[in-house]
Amino acid sequence: MKIIMLGAPGAGKGTQAKKIAAKYDIPHISTGDIFRANIKNGTELGNKAKTYMDQGLLVPDELVVDLVVDRVQQDDCKNGYVLDGFPRTIPQAEALDKALAALGDKVDYAIDVNVPDENIVNRMGGRRACVGCGATYHLVYAPTKTEGICDVCGKELILRDDDKPETVQKRLNVYHEQTQPLIDYYTKAGILKTVDGTVDINDVFAAIVEILGA
Ligand code: ADP
Ligand code: AMP
């Protein structure tokens, strides 16, 4: 099962992608996590990506396409994967389709987690990320057991630089201009499925399971 998660920044793509990966036993591939790991390790890719990410802009297509095309051909992706945060532009979607077609393969589902802009600002302000393992929480909707401490690895939580209010609006604009056209793209491809992302995390997941099959 090859799945793409679509939706605005903060819509809950990562939250749902992790649950899908666990239930269906497929890897969760987040380009944002890959970039953040590269930034943490001080790699050349990380240094390049950081300048765009900090401004709320997309990293250029050429820095992300090959990385994903290589990743989905690794052994653990044989039974499928859930892509979170990729594609984010039409050229990225076309490049993915072309690379998969060359392998005799295709995406099965593009799941759009639909959340209006008004809710997004609230979501992003409350999102907290672990400095150690990158797990994400929400101060109100998905709190940790001990305040400020990651449930998974015990490290501290931070507000991501790009989740600061001044950057969130910019990211939303970028989403509407560059990423939202993918909804049309995957509708035309006949694989778009939309779920209401404003309801409780477990209810969003139940709607996704209904689509993918139990
Ligand atoms: P994305 O990967 O789309 O950027 P996340 O999965 O990181 O978004 O979710 C953004 C924030 O909103 C996180 O703090 C997360 O805990 C919270 N969140 C995710 N889904 C829901 C939901 N259905 N209701 C309330 N909060 C949610
Ligand atoms: P995310 O964790 O998915 O919210 O991504 C965080 C940031 O990483 C984005 O705001 C972009 O700057 C960058 N990024 C992640 N995925 C992509 C992508 N597919 N194309 C371009 N930039 C990306």
Side-chain angles (χ1 to χ4, degrees), residues 65-210:
V65 167
D66 290 351
L67 183 152
V68 174
V69 168
D70 285 349
R71 178 68 187 87
V72 299
Q73 290 181 67
Q74 287 171 15
D75 263 5
D76 63 333
C77 290
K78 276 204 183 90
N79 295 327
Y81 42 83
V82 51
L83 285 180
D84 161 18
F86 182 95
R88 258 186 160 99
T89 64
I90 296 278
Q92 289 181 16
E94 288 172 346
L96 177 67
D97 279 351
K98 196 168 153 207
L100 291 181
L103 301 166
D105 213 344
K106 62 173 180 47
V107 175
D108 299 305
Y109 299 96
I111 301 177
D112 177 36
V113 183
N114 191 271
V115 176
D117 287 9
E118 308 84 85
N119 305 38
I120 293 292
V121 179
N122 183 17
R123 289 266 180 102
M124 307 282 258
R127 174 158 65 182
R128 292 293 179 272
C130 171
V131 291
C133 69
T136 44
Y137 301 92
H138 191 282
L139 291 178
V140 179
Y141 308 120
T144 46
K145 292 193 185 93
T146 310
E147 201 184 316
I149 301 294
C150 179
D151 288 350
V152 181
C153 74
K155 297 247 165 65
E156 77 174 296
L157 305 182
I158 51 153
L159 174 69
R160 270 166 49 180
D161 278 342
D162 60 349
D163 281 351
K164 295 190 171 139
E166 57 274 24
T167 316
V168 169
Q169 191 52 52
K170 176 97 157 280
R171 294 175 70 199
L172 272 173
N173 296 344
V174 167
Y175 166 75
H176 289 302
E177 276 165 32
Q178 300 192 57
T179 308
Q180 210 172 15
L182 292 176
I183 293 186
D184 230 30
Y185 180 93
Y186 288 111
T187 301
K188 285 186 182 128
I191 58 166
L192 187 87
K193 306 281 175 190
T194 303
V195 293
D196 177 359
T198 64
V199 297
D200 181 85
I201 291 173
N202 290 323
D203 294 335
V204 180
F205 188 56
I208 292 175
V209 170
E210 187 118 319

